[in-house]
């Protein structure tokens, strides 16, 4: 068994597809337990019965359509019109725009590619230091993962069998905390830049609002409907996808109708990868539960942990390491089923655990040596990877402080939840 585990680890390190490694471990576990291997296929296809699963492809498709349209440019214009009058306002514009865009696309790398071409030159032209610009755009790409309708939030709800509506509410204050702390840092660093980006102009605000008139209702209707309870998550995803296609293809005509199959194919590649990993992980998780792995893990943890505060510290360290070596979607389906019962023993609310998990894993996108956003930014802006490491380090430290606050102040995650 140990030898087989070492072989799987080596295959993963050599670049074998993650779903293949997980499936192999699941089949080996079923074989060892003398369970018919057809059970693996049954577990794999049972992923289709999961609640809210429909929301994942619909929100992902809508996000890809938005990224292909002129929505990123209009988003930057309207935030610039509203905040550009502040000294250092363009930094706030960049953070807000990236957070909003990542929330809808569910992929921080897409945000760096889509908005980076607009924001990075604008920051440089406005006189911001180049290292600061590189760190800001790279770091801001992951800010929206705690805001609805973020794909990782939905996936956590599916895996942990928690209310996605409650997860959307729970992510608001922690997400705002991270956004505000980075905004405060950005203003402090650029405090000597007295010249605002532009004077406030009602005419420019009106022009930006008029240009974005078709897209402004989207977050209001979708998020307002979810938070108010008028529509469910799956209905909101369907409304979002239909509305985005209607606006970008038929009203604004920025995306030709013939391009929709290509965009759909590209978005479904991401969705398909997530669902395949989720399917094989269900089989792997069930065999680990049958083998009593969570109970054994709890017994090990109890040897080193004396209470919930120590457990949270150990969990945070574990997630920061995990985030540096594993993407957030794989970590969700592999690790969450194992740590949920352990966290329950220390009275950690599963919704709070989800926000901690996503906030800490979010840092993995920026953690050397293999943080995904670091490599995307290095490629996109043609900068050496070491320079990207150094540029993002201050932002990583600020985000780390915010994650510690989120971890040890559960009220931030639970305050907006009814009856908690």
């Amino acid at each position: 068994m140990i030898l087989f585990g070492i072989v799987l680890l080596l295959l993963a390190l050599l670049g074998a597809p993650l779903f293949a490694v997980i499936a192999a471990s699941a089949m080996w576990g079923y074989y060892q337990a003398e369970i018919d291997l057809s059970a693996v296929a049954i577990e794999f296809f049972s992923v289709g019965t999961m609640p809210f699963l429909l929301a994942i492809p619909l929100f992902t498709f809508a996000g890809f359509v938005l990224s292909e349209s002129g929505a990123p440019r209009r988003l930057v214009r309207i935030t610039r019109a509203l905040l550009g009058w502040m000294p250092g306002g363009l930094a706030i514009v960049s953070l807000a725009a990236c957070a909003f865009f990542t929330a809808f696309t569910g992929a921080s790398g897409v945000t760096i590619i889509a908005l980076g071409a607009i924001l990075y030159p604008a920051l440089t032209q406005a006189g911001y230091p180049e290292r600061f610009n590189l760190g800001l755009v790279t770091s801001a790409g992951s800010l929206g993962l705690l805001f609805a309708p973020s794909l990782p939030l939905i996936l956590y709800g599916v895996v942990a069998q928690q209310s996605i509506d409650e997860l959307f509410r729970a992510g608001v204050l922690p997400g705002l905390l991270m956004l505000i702390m980075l905004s405060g840092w950005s203003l402090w660093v650029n405090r000597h830049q007295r010249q605002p980006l532009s004077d406030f102009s009602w005419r420019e605000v009106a022009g930006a609002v008029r240009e974005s008139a078709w897209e402004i209702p989207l977050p209001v209707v979708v998020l307002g409907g979810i938070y108010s309870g008028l529509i469910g998550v799956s209905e909101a995803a369907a409304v979002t996808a239909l509305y985005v296609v209607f606006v970008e293809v038929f009203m604004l005509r920025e995306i030709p109708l013939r391009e929709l199959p290509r965009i759909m194919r590209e978005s479904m590649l991401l969705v398909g990868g997530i669902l395949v990993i989720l399917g094989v992980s269900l089989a792997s998780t069930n065999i680990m539960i049958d083998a009593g792995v969570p109970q054994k893990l709890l017994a090990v943890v109890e040897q080193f942990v004396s209470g919930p505060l120590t457990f949270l510290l150990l969990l945070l360290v574990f997630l920061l390491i995990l985030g540096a070596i594993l993407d957030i979607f794989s970590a969700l389906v592999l690790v969450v089923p194992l740590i949920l019962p352990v966290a329950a023993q220390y009275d950690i609310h599963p919704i709070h655990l989800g926000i901690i998990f996503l906030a800490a894993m979010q840092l993995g996108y920026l953690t050397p040596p293999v943080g995904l956003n670091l490599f995307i930014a290095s490629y996109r802006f043609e900068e050496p990877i070491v320079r990207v490491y150094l540029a993002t380090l201050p932002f990583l430290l600020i985000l780390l402080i915010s994650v510690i606050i989120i971890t040890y102040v559960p009220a931030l995650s639970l305050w907006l939840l009814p009856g908690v």
Side-chain angles (χ1 to χ4, degrees):
M1 186 67 180
I2 296 176
L3 179 60
F4 184 76
I6 294 173
V7 171
L8 288 181
L9 180 60
L10 288 175
L11 287 174
L13 293 175
L14 290 173
L18 183 63
F19 77 89
V21 174
I22 299 171
S25 66
M27 287 189 288
W28 177 257
Y30 278 78
Y31 174 76
Q32 291 290 98
E34 298 183 352
I35 301 174
D36 194 310
L37 291 182
S38 63
V40 176
I42 295 172
E43 293 291 349
F44 179 86
F45 288 107
S46 70
V47 71
T49 65
M50 285 186 165
F52 305 113
L53 200 64
L54 184 63
I56 294 177
L58 289 173
F59 275 131
T60 304
F61 172 63
F64 271 68
V65 172
L66 285 174
S67 68
E68 293 272 345
S69 69
R73 176 184 55 79
R74 289 188 290 274
L75 176 60
V76 171
R77 182 186 176 188
I78 195 169
T79 50
R80 178 173 177 167
L82 293 171
L83 302 173
W85 57 271
M86 300 170 57
L90 184 56
I92 312 300
V93 168
S94 302
L95 291 168
C98 288
F100 178 86
F101 198 71
T102 299
F104 269 87
T105 61
S108 57
V110 174
T111 299
I112 293 174
I113 294 170
L115 293 184
I118 303 170
L119 296 172
Y120 189 70
L123 287 161
T124 303
Q125 187 177 0
Y128 290 81
E130 283 195 20
R131 177 177 289 188
F132 172 82
N133 301 342
L134 183 60
L136 178 74
V137 176
T138 305
S139 306
S142 62
L143 275 181
L145 294 180
L146 292 180
F147 293 121
S150 165
L151 183 55
L153 273 176
I154 297 173
L155 191 58
Y156 177 85
V158 170
V159 174
Q161 299 181 359
Q162 296 297 315
S163 167
I164 295 177
D165 293 353
E166 291 188 353
L167 281 165
F168 283 172
R169 292 189 181 95
V172 172
L173 295 182
L176 286 175
L177 173 67
M178 302 179 95
L179 185 59
I180 290 170
M181 288 184 67
L182 277 190
S183 299
W185 166 254
S186 300
L187 290 176
W188 171 258
V189 170
N190 297 284
R191 63 190 182 278
H192 299 303
Q193 185 188 353
R194 299 299 182 184
Q195 291 298 319
L197 178 65
S198 60
D199 295 329
F200 183 81
S201 168
W202 284 110
R203 178 177 297 181
E204 174 61 17
V205 171
V209 169
R210 188 164 52 249
E211 187 182 37
S212 304
W214 282 104
E215 285 141 341
I216 289 175
L218 182 61
V220 176
V221 172
V222 175
L223 302 185
I226 292 174
Y227 290 142
S228 65
L230 294 176
I231 57 176
V233 175
S234 297
E235 291 87 348
V239 170
T240 301
L242 182 63
Y243 185 83
V244 165
V245 170
F246 173 73
V247 169
E248 306 299 346
V249 176
F250 297 103
M251 295 305 301
L252 301 179
R253 298 181 180 178
E254 293 181 336
I255 298 178
L257 186 60
R258 65 179 181 274
E259 290 293 312
L260 275 186
R262 177 187 62 81
I263 297 172
M264 189 178 299
R265 185 169 59 251
E266 291 178 356
S267 63
M268 291 309 107
L269 284 174
L270 173 62
V271 173
I274 293 171
L275 294 185
V276 168
I277 293 173
L278 182 58
V280 295
S281 294
L282 281 178
S284 178
T285 299
N286 285 339
I287 195 65
M288 284 191 289
I289 291 174
D290 290 342
V293 172
Q295 290 77 11
K296 295 175 183 176
L297 180 62
L298 176 62
V300 173
V301 169
E302 286 179 337
Q303 295 179 7
F304 303 97
V305 174
S306 57
L309 296 181
T310 312
F311 169 75
L312 286 173
L313 177 61
L314 187 64
L315 175 66
L316 190 56
V317 173
F318 169 71
L319 292 177
L320 291 175
I321 297 172
L322 186 70
I325 60 176
L326 201 63
D327 72 89
I328 194 169
F329 300 114
S330 302
L332 277 167
V333 296
L334 283 173
V335 179
V336 167
L338 296 179
I339 64 173
L340 267 173
V342 180
Q345 295 294 319
Y346 294 97
D347 295 323
I348 308 299
H349 196 287
I351 297 291
H352 181 216
L353 177 68
I355 300 303
I356 295 172
F357 191 98
L358 295 179
M361 289 297 297
Q362 179 175 304
L363 297 188
Y365 285 116
L366 306 174
T367 305
V370 292
L372 180 61
N373 283 6
L374 301 174
F375 289 95
I376 292 176
S378 175
Y379 172 78
R380 179 64 185 82
F381 304 121
E382 298 180 350
E383 295 283 356
I385 189 65
V386 175
R387 178 175 170 81
V388 179
Y389 288 166
L390 296 175
T392 55
L393 184 58
F395 297 91
L396 178 62
L397 294 176
I398 296 296
L399 288 174
L400 178 59
I401 294 172
S402 69
V403 171
I404 293 173
I405 295 173
I406 292 167
T407 301
Y408 285 101
V409 185
L412 280 171
S413 304
L414 305 177
W415 188 59
L416 296 179
L417 270 60
V420 177

